[in-house]
Amino acid sequence: MNAPAHPSVSQPAQHPADAGFMAEAIALGVAGLGLAAPNPSVGAVVVKDGVVIGRGATRAGGRPHAETEALRDAGDAARGATLYVSLEPCSHHGVTPPCADAIVRAGVARVVSALDDPDTRVSGRGHKRLRDAGVEVLVGVGAREARRANLGHILRITEGRPMVTLKLAETADGFAAGSTHDQRLMITGIEANNRVQKMRAQHDAIMVGIGTALADDPLLTVRSSGLEHHRPLRVVLDTHLRLRKRSRIAATAHERKTLILCGADAPAERQILLESVGIDIVRVPLDQDGHVDLRQALHVLAKRGVTRVFSEGGPTIARRLVDLGLADEVVVFTSPKPLGREGVLSLDRDTRDALGDAMRFDVIEDGRVGVDRLRIYERRP
């Protein structure tokens, strides 16, 4: 069990079954990723006499919150029960009353919470409110897994940016694309492609650079059966507003929310043209190399309520995200087939070395998805 954020508060004992029930609460929250922004996607279960009597997760749009959903599911049986929740219950009045008050009114005897919420409106106050009302509170069970699930919310509060998942696909010999005149490569198999769709669905925004947008003409939507209700914001980093009006992104902008982040000197006539098809455009500062500044771009997204970004921007953006410490998870799919000719490397040597540096990244998954290899790297805090 990880230590609580407020170690001066004495902790009650952890019960043998706590970890299992917390894992279920965290899983409920993970299932709602991509739908709850701007709020965190939290999961909660109510347990009495070793049996789950109520389950809840943050609903689409961020409310109702998981705790009140689980308590509603449990009904009067919640009195004297234990509530497991993947993030500290809120203690402030917002659109809905504080969850901490709802827990006290329901007569819950014990709360097991994975993490303190860094939001200054909460930040230990929810747990204190429960303790002051006589509820036993244990903090820190499942903290590592809960932090991973809530990382978008945590970084939006603490760093003013969403978390970023960087996804790359490469051939067995390390290429992401062929040469300039090659057709677009179909690198991964159907199982890996389906996994990518599920990953897209767990994020609030899908982001690419203009190079990828021009070369691949992607749609940037979730296309798996059963996930059609997930509609992430589409984001294009386009310094000079070069996106074509006839691109699939522009052609569907009236149906899908689309944002272009460009530089201050991008042509005004291009902005008018792209706005006419329904694209939202925001000008942001450029970095020293003349590209859209990635930190500033992520700050813009955070201010719009985005907590999780899925970047499919290709090798150039991949390098910049890793260099800047902005790639929180890196997902690499590797095909068993080599390209066998000149092409565009998926990762340059320095970026690949960074992923292999145990001081910077942990490998949290390494296995097979169909015929392809999948490795997931997690940035060390």
Side-chain angles (χ1 to χ4, degrees), residues 1 11 94 132 138 146 310 360:
M1 182 181 76
Q11 288 270 88
D132 289 348
L138 174 64
F310 194 64
R360 296 183 63 182

Side-chain angles (χ1 to χ4, degrees), residues 40 76 82 98 124 188 191 193 217 236 254 298 334 380:
D76 293 339
T82 296
T188 51
E191 293 89 351
N193 293 341
D217 194 21
V236 182
H254 282 300
L298 294 176
T334 304
R380 294 179 66 88

Side-chain angles (χ1 to χ4, degrees), residues 259-273:
L259 171 67
I260 290 180
L261 299 173
C262 68
D265 296 332
E269 64 274 14
R270 292 292 303 168
Q271 177 169 349
I272 293 170
L273 177 67

Side-chain angles (χ1 to χ4, degrees), residues 86-281:
S86 60
L87 188 67
E88 179 178 8
C90 65
S91 57
H92 61 284
H93 283 270
V95 176
T96 56
C99 289
D101 290 356
I103 293 167
V104 172
R105 287 196 304 272
V108 169
R110 180 172 181 259
V111 169
V112 180
S113 173
L115 295 171
D116 284 317
D117 189 337
D119 190 328
T120 55
R121 298 171 298 176
V122 187
S123 193
R125 293 182 180 88
H127 293 144
K128 182 178 185 302
R129 200 162 187 154
L130 294 171
R131 292 187 180 103
D132 289 348
V135 178
E136 181 181 303
V137 178
L138 174 64
V139 183
V141 177
R144 180 178 175 84
E145 295 78 10
R147 184 182 186 277
R148 182 178 296 134
N150 289 292
L151 185 59
H153 168 70
I154 292 169
L155 290 177
R156 183 167 176 258
I157 295 298
T158 59
E159 297 186 15
R161 69 168 180 92
M163 72 86 66
V164 177
T165 299
L166 168 62
K167 171 257 174 180
L168 294 163
E170 62 180 7
T171 60
D173 46 358
F175 293 102
S179 62
T180 304
H181 301 293
D182 274 353
Q183 293 183 340
R184 179 185 177 188
L185 296 181
M186 301 300 291
I187 295 175
T188 51
I190 187 169
E191 293 89 351
N193 293 341
N194 288 339
R195 180 75 178 266
V196 170
Q197 294 299 316
K198 292 177 181 178
M199 290 178 174
R200 285 182 175 185
Q202 290 185 319
H203 292 76
D204 311 321
I206 303 172
M207 182 175 76
V208 298
I210 186 58
T212 298
L214 293 176
D216 296 345
D217 194 21
L219 198 54
L220 303 183
T221 57
V222 177
R223 296 187 293 278
S224 287
S225 177
L227 297 175
E228 298 88 352
H229 58 296
H230 289 258
R231 299 171 72 89
L233 172 69
R234 304 182 302 179
V235 180
V236 182
L237 305 176
D238 185 3
T239 304
H240 304 294
L241 292 178
R242 294 189 291 142
L243 185 71
R244 291 186 288 263
K245 186 178 179 181
R246 295 181 181 273
S247 67
R248 295 205 293 170
I249 291 174
T252 55
H254 282 300
E255 305 163 15
R256 303 272 181 164
K257 290 183 178 179
T258 306
L259 171 67
I260 290 180
L261 299 173
C262 68
D265 296 332
E269 64 274 14
R270 292 292 303 168
Q271 177 169 349
I272 293 170
L273 177 67
L274 292 169
E275 286 179 336
S276 73
V277 299
I279 297 176
D280 193 7
I281 295 176

